[in-house]
Amino acid sequence: MPLMRGTLEFATAVLEHPRVTETPKIVHDSDAALVAASQRGDADSFGQLYQRYARLVHGILLARVRPTEVEDLVQDVFLRALPRLRDLRDVSRFGAWLAAIARNIATDHYRHSHTQPETSGDASDPDEQPAKSGFSAGNEAAEILECIRALPEAYRETLVLRLVEGMTGPEISERTGLSPGSVRVNLHRGMRQLREKLAQCESRNAARSENWKVR
């Protein structure tokens, strides 16, 4: 079977697995065993890796691109990884290897779209807009996410993985290849900066609200 045809059929089988927003049952084989089987062309094994690592990829992308674009890019990450998997020699580095692919795709997407990932896309002056009197849970979560995305890259990625994707510190370390100490530092410093930014946002909203009351 030609390589391209085989890869496309393999990809089709893998992507029949549920998307990131679903949480199917995962077979408890080791990652190394699943990677080795995937390198031999086992679509089910690669599907299991997809299920295990989708949150990681989703979080890495969410820290860099708009939320509405993340789901499709998750698929792109695994499609790009698939034909390169046979070249991965150290199967224990699969998570770090996949994370690097996700970051590269996010960077490529950013360059192609010419869109700043840290901004909401609203070019108008925020002081000329009425402050919202209250926030729904969704609006508040979106505001917090925007604050996270304004942090330095190392902090925002780790915080998104922890706060949005629900991964533990040890999970983040294991999946990304970062040392446990680096993860702890990123979370600690990131949370401190996030609190400062949220306080600044709250102050700005309060000031704008007062300005509109005067008007």
Side-chain angles (χ1 to χ4, degrees):
M1 179 183 293
L3 177 60
M4 180 60 70
R5 180 183 172 191
T7 298
L8 288 175
E9 290 181 357
F10 189 20
T12 299
V14 168
L15 295 181
E16 287 177 353
H17 286 266
R19 292 169 73 85
V20 176
T21 50
E22 303 179 38
T23 54
K25 182 179 179 181
I26 295 175
V27 177
H28 293 289
D29 290 327
S30 71
D31 287 356
L34 290 174
V35 172
S38 298
Q39 290 175 322
R40 295 192 297 270
D42 187 334
D44 287 340
S45 294
F46 193 76
Q48 289 296 317
L49 289 172
Y50 178 94
Q51 292 173 25
R52 290 186 181 185
Y53 283 87
R55 280 191 306 158
L56 171 71
V57 171
H58 190 274
I60 289 172
L61 294 171
L62 188 59
R64 291 167 171 80
V65 304
R66 293 181 177 181
T68 54
E69 300 168 327
V70 168
E71 192 76 51
D72 288 339
L73 290 177
V74 170
Q75 305 287 315
D76 291 345
V77 170
F78 283 93
L79 284 172
R80 184 178 293 187
L82 181 57
R84 303 178 182 184
L85 187 59
R86 289 173 182 167
D87 296 328
L88 178 63
R89 295 184 178 181
D90 185 356
V91 295
S92 68
R93 297 285 299 168
F94 175 77
W97 175 79
L98 187 66
I101 292 176
R103 295 183 191 109
N104 288 338
I105 282 187
T107 299
D108 291 345
H109 179 78
Y110 165 72
R111 288 173 178 168
H112 178 72
S113 64
H114 301 288
T115 302
Q116 292 290 341
E118 295 86 357
T119 64
S120 62
D122 187 353
S124 58
D125 185 350
D127 289 330
E128 292 301 317
Q129 302 176 27
K132 297 179 182 178
S133 58
F135 295 97
S136 67
N139 287 336
E140 187 173 0
E143 184 177 8
I144 293 172
L145 178 59
E146 285 305 306
C147 287
I148 292 175
R149 283 152 56 88
L151 298 176
E153 182 175 308
Y155 300 161
R156 70 176 183 245
E157 178 178 302
T158 310
L159 283 179
V160 168
L161 292 174
R162 180 70 186 95
L163 300 179
V164 179
E165 304 300 335
M167 297 175 65
T168 65
E171 265 188 300
I172 295 170
S173 175
E174 179 184 0
R175 293 284 194 256
T176 63
L178 291 172
S179 69
S182 294
V183 172
R184 284 194 297 270
V185 168
N186 289 347
L187 287 174
H188 176 74
R189 294 179 179 174
M191 283 299 300
R192 183 178 61 196
Q193 292 191 20
L194 177 60
R195 291 190 193 99
E196 293 172 355
K197 284 193 174 292
L198 289 174
Q200 292 169 2
C201 288
E202 186 175 349
S203 296
R204 282 197 302 269
N205 288 337
R208 275 186 285 171
S209 179
E210 287 301 317
N211 287 338
W212 276 89
K213 286 179 182 179
V214 171
R215 296 180 188 181

